Amino acid sequence: MSRPSSRPASRPFLRQGRRSPRSWTSFAKNAPGASKLRQSLKPSAVRARFAPSPTGYLHVGGVRTALFNWLFARHNGGVFVLRVEDTDVARSKPEYAAAILSGLRWLGLDWDEGPQRGGPHAPYFQSQRLHIYREAARALEAAGCAYECFCPSDAFAGETACDCASLSPRDKGNRLRSGAAPALKFRVDTRRDVAVEDVIRGTVVFPAGSIHDFVLCKSGGDPLYNFAAVVDDNAMAISHVIRGDEHLANTPRQLLVYEALGLPPPIFAHIPIILSEQRRKLSKRDGATFLDEYEKLGYLPEALLNFLGLLGWSPGGDRELLTVAEMIAEFRLADVVKHPAIFDVRKLGWMNKEYLKAAPLAEIAARVEKLLPEDVRRRYGAGRIAAVTGLLRPRVQNLAEIVSQGWYFFTDKPVTPIPEAIAKYCAGPEPLQRLRELREQLARLKTFSEESVETEIRSLAERAGTKAAAYIHPLRVALTGQAVSPGIFEVCAILGREQVLERIDALIGALSGALRATVRMVP
RNA sequence: GCCCCCAUCGUCUAGAGGCCUAGGACACCGCCCUUUCACGGCGGCGACGCGGAUUCGAAUUCCGCUGGGGGUACCA
């Protein structure tokens, strides 16, 4: 039980955020552990948070972290806090912050406290809370837990410690007067092991000497992550810190800061990170890694949430398709796995397809509409868009594919068949002949519908003593320019008689020209 | 280098000593359905990293190794 000896920072302001009596400590190797506290914690006391840094767009890894925090908070009837960690002035940008917020909104991960919503612990941008860190920094320095360091920022590549800690007041004064702006460093007791109690990992001990003095505030005074996060998690009364595994190694440092400040640490849960197919931490170069890319490609938020939820967490058994409500009901930190997961886009694609098939057509069509250019939307209208969506949806994994695959439904220009389609279905004189018959009969149809076209083609084939395919394939080439498409009768119905005849004529023209050329060459 | 984490099919995972000749899903491969593609149906391929130890019995516990990952920033 090595209770922190000094209580330098029992400053009132630092104590505001205390949420429970300090009944345990996680600094000693034989600490009682988080589990006991977890059990005694009332669900209503749960306050989880997502604390993204707006130095880039929202990453699928970040989304997963946000999701786990959100699920945890919702499952426990707790509070989900959103805090923007924009202390790195050089790299943070407002547009990134805005994109992160709108991304979370799109997903439906609503926050109870945070930007645009406020809350009892506002502001929720760290850049607006600098005075709070400054005060905490002063407290630490006054208590001898931190010291000013005058070394140039790039001075320490390795382990060598600087000797600024033992600078005489006079030297310090001189440097200060000469305009040097010191960083604030935390003094680490290298003789002591530091143990982290983690809900997912158990007790993790960082041996004495493996942690060195680290920077709390840069020269200039801006706080760094390991400092600001501690101050805010406490100030915002965060009960559970659920974050990526890459932060596990930071945790002992943060624990030390909690201790020096005289604050009770939250419960930690480090979730495994998401790796790219190259088994590396997901980065920009690994294809679509940012949330907005998935939105643009037409993935459904529910599908993304379901997929990400199952990356590193499982409700047990065979469950694959889970609604958000089901995930909330079943989510427990104890069921989060320890090992990293590889992001498999193919499975996401399958899952998105499942959601696409299950959703009401009108909803899906409305989303497709948003992906189409304004003029196309106006020209063809919601009716055709919905019909095309219905036809293509079982064949695609995302909505963008409906647009790219169904392009021939949205153009008045002649369709130029791809060479493979011509070679496969339009070689020789027969297809041309079939097209001519088709053209004649379809023009005569009293009503032009899926059923009437089908009936006509089938009887045409029967009369000619051939298979319907003999008509269907050339027709497909004429209408779509492709060798594959949805059912051709349905395609006809959507295009309408006028466009169908136009395209048949066009192909007849092209084929007869080509045939003449071939014949001329033969002799 | 040092510190830490992790280890079941190609991928996501189920599995918490006998229920496991290891289950499901994605992917892949067949077959069926069919005008093509897709959907759907049926079937198949495919894993407990290695070595010790504990035990009557280990995917499940312990140790070592190997492998992978993360951290070691005046980034988060």
Side-chain angles (χ1 to χ4, degrees), chain A residues 349-366:
Chain A
W350 164 78
M351 199 170 269
N352 197 51
K353 191 179 219 170
E354 294 299 312
Y355 278 87
L356 244 27
K357 285 189 290 193
L361 178 60
E363 187 188 302
I364 304 299

Side-chain angles (χ1 to χ4, degrees), chain A residues 175-295:
Chain A
R175 301 213 191 191
L176 251 18
R177 267 190 298 282
S178 69
L184 188 68
K185 268 191 173 174
F186 187 84
R187 195 191 305 273
V188 174
D189 179 356
T190 53
R191 295 161 306 184
R192 198 161 51 123
D193 291 353
V194 182
V196 175
E197 293 298 334
D198 187 285
V199 177
I200 297 171
R201 317 269 152 189
T203 305
V204 181
V205 179
F206 293 78
S210 64
I211 301 164
H212 308 280
D213 291 3
F214 57 94
V215 178
L216 256 16
C217 298
K218 325 185 201 198
S219 51
D222 287 346
L224 254 21
Y225 171 70
N226 280 325
F227 183 45
V230 166
V231 171
D232 282 344
D233 283 335
N234 177 262
M236 296 179 180
I238 300 302
S239 64
H240 292 70
V241 169
I242 302 168
R243 80 233 299 194
D245 210 10
E246 72 267 26
H247 290 298
L248 181 56
N250 280 319
T251 309
R253 283 175 254 274
Q254 296 177 17
L255 243 19
L256 257 15
V257 175
Y258 277 106
E259 182 188 51
L261 251 17
L263 301 171
I267 293 168
F268 293 101
H270 288 93
I271 63 180
I273 62 172
I274 298 179
L275 304 175
S276 69
E277 307 213 19
Q278 284 71 238
R279 302 198 146 274
R280 310 233 110 226
K281 211 168 148 186
L282 227 41
S283 81
K284 298 115 205 127
R285 274 172 290 181
D286 294 309
T289 58
F290 295 111
L291 182 62
D292 60 299
E293 300 181 53
Y294 289 96
E295 186 179 353

Side-chain angles (χ1 to χ4, degrees), chain A residues 55-79:
Chain A
T55 52
Y57 293 101
L58 191 53
H59 203 269
V60 291
V63 171
R64 210 265 313 247
T65 302
L67 173 62
F68 280 18
N69 275 284
W70 184 81
L71 289 174
F72 181 74
R74 293 289 172 260
H75 176 87
N76 292 293
V79 172

Side-chain angles (χ1 to χ4, degrees), chain A residues 137-157:
Chain A
R138 267 195 292 271
L140 285 178
E141 203 186 345
C145 296
Y147 59 91
E148 289 179 313
C149 170
F150 293 87
C151 299
S153 57
D154 54 357
F156 298 98

Side-chain angles (χ1 to χ4, degrees), chain A residues 424-504:
Chain A
K424 193 165 178 192
Y425 294 121
C426 298
E430 195 202 328
L432 177 57
Q433 177 53 32
R434 301 299 177 204
L435 283 170
R436 287 186 169 130
E437 296 166 32
L438 223 34
R439 145 90 237 203
E440 196 183 330
Q441 297 306 318
L442 292 183
R444 271 192 220 157
L445 239 35
K446 284 190 284 295
T447 55
F448 192 88
S449 69
E450 186 184 327
E451 294 74 24
S452 68
V453 171
E454 173 160 11
T455 308
E456 184 54 41
I457 290 182
R458 296 219 182 272
S459 73
L460 204 51
E462 203 170 327
R463 276 177 274 145
T466 181
K467 288 179 298 185
Y471 294 91
I472 288 171
H473 290 305
L475 181 58
R476 166 173 294 113
V477 178
L479 302 185
T480 71
Q482 313 297 305
V484 303
S485 82
I488 202 64
F489 311 123
E490 293 160 295
V491 172
C492 285
I494 291 178
L495 287 174
R497 180 170 355 224
E498 195 186 332
Q499 266 189 310
V500 167
L501 295 182
E502 260 173 36
R503 293 184 186 186
I504 293 177

